[in-house]
Amino acid sequence: GAGVSQSPSNKVTEKGKDVELRCDPISGHTALYWYRQSLGQGLEFLIYFQGNSAPDKSGLPSDRFSAERTGGSVSTLTIQRTQQEDSAVYLCASSFTGGSTEAFFGQGTRLTVV
Amino acid sequence: DQQVKQNSPSLSVQEGRISILNCDYTNSMFDYFLWYKKYPAEGPTFLISISSIKDKNEDGRFTVFLNKSAKHLSLHIVPSQPGDSAVYFCAASATSYDKVIFGPGTSLSVIP
């Protein structure tokens, strides 16, 4: 499809395990974002990739979180040694240039840490 | 420290009336402002945007007003329809290439 695709759509993991969340952005979009939405909360910024620039990691909550974007396309968000407070919906979005341009969001990955 | 604030967590409006959703920001470097709508179990979708060189932008039933000196913007929906019931997020960016920061959202209920 032509939209932003995220996988898996749901993930249940045991506390302490590592998880990888995948995002396929819209082709040609240079900007890619990761946000998370905890229950009853807003969209918390995690990390931002813009073209070949160094990613803006200022929103990552701890060093257990990391993300990469390979070849300017697919991105993977990795959470190591998951904790119960990591449970949330993780949303990926891409846009043509970032900032002022419309961002298209995926359906999200619902992560539950038990 | 929240850079984009939406102080009303929820709003209830009668069908056909005006809905006004408010947003305040603290970062004077923000130059681009966007509104997104989110239905349950879906990703947010873009609604309307405005840059700091304007004070108003209109698209059909949706109008965004920007008061840069007050660091305040608002989204007006006229007339409100039941299908407008959703969570509305205000978002801002410093440049056309910068990251976008979202507010906490306002849940709008339009009552038939």
Side-chain angles (χ1 to χ4, degrees):
Chain A
V4 177
S5 178
Q6 290 187 246
S7 60
S9 53
N10 279 285
K11 176 74 177 178
V12 180
T13 189
E14 291 182 352
K15 178 181 170 182
K17 301 275 188 176
D18 297 352
V19 295
E20 279 190 357
L21 312 180
R22 177 187 168 104
C23 173
D24 280 276
I26 292 172
S27 178
H29 281 188
T30 62
L32 186 147
Y33 307 82
W34 283 97
Y35 296 91
R36 79 175 171 184
Q37 186 174 28
S38 303
L39 192 62
Q41 303 298 308
L43 292 173
E44 178 188 3
F45 166 77
L46 296 178
I47 188 167
Y48 173 57
F49 296 89
Q50 171 51 265
N52 295 322
S53 303
D56 181 334
K57 305 179 183 180
S58 59
L60 294 178
S62 78
D63 58 9
R64 296 186 295 105
F65 288 72
S66 63
E68 61 177 27
R69 187 179 185 190
T70 52
S73 181
V74 172
S75 177
T76 304
L77 177 69
T78 302
I79 309 173
Q80 296 178 310
R81 305 181 302 281
T82 51
Q83 304 294 312
Q84 287 188 328
E85 62 262 28
D86 300 335
S87 296
V89 175
Y90 288 80
L91 289 159
C92 175
S94 71
S95 71
F96 190 58
T97 64
S100 61
T101 56
E102 174 184 356
F104 295 82
F105 281 79
Q107 297 281 69
T109 293
R110 180 175 295 278
L111 175 66
T112 305
V113 182
V114 297
Chain B
D1 180 34
Q2 216 170 45
Q3 297 186 67
V4 180
K5 305 180 184 187
Q6 293 176 260
N7 293 323
S8 298
S10 62
L11 176 67
S12 192
V13 170
Q14 207 74 31
E15 180 180 4
R17 307 293 274 267
I18 183 171
S19 296
I20 300 176
L21 297 103
N22 292 303
C23 176
D24 297 284
Y25 60 96
T26 57
N27 188 343
S28 57
M29 300 299 291
F30 286 148
D31 266 345
Y32 296 94
F33 305 91
L34 312 96
W35 286 92
Y36 285 79
K37 179 167 76 171
K38 185 182 184 301
Y39 293 118
E42 293 183 10
T45 55
F46 172 79
L47 200 54
I48 192 169
S49 64
I50 190 168
S51 73
S52 60
I53 61 172
K54 290 185 166 185
D55 55 16
K56 177 183 173 181
N57 190 25
E58 194 171 349
D59 184 2
R61 296 186 297 113
F62 302 90
T63 303
V64 55
F65 295 92
L66 175 63
N67 182 335
K68 201 161 186 213
S69 61
K71 295 194 184 72
H72 176 84
L73 62 155
S74 60
L75 175 68
H76 292 211
I77 307 173
V78 181
S80 302
Q81 299 173 353
D84 296 331
S85 297
V87 177
Y88 288 79
F89 290 99
C90 173
S93 176
T95 75
S96 58
Y97 291 89
D98 206 353
K99 65 180 182 279
V100 177
I101 301 297
F102 282 77
T106 296
S107 178
L108 173 66
S109 296
V110 179
I111 304 162

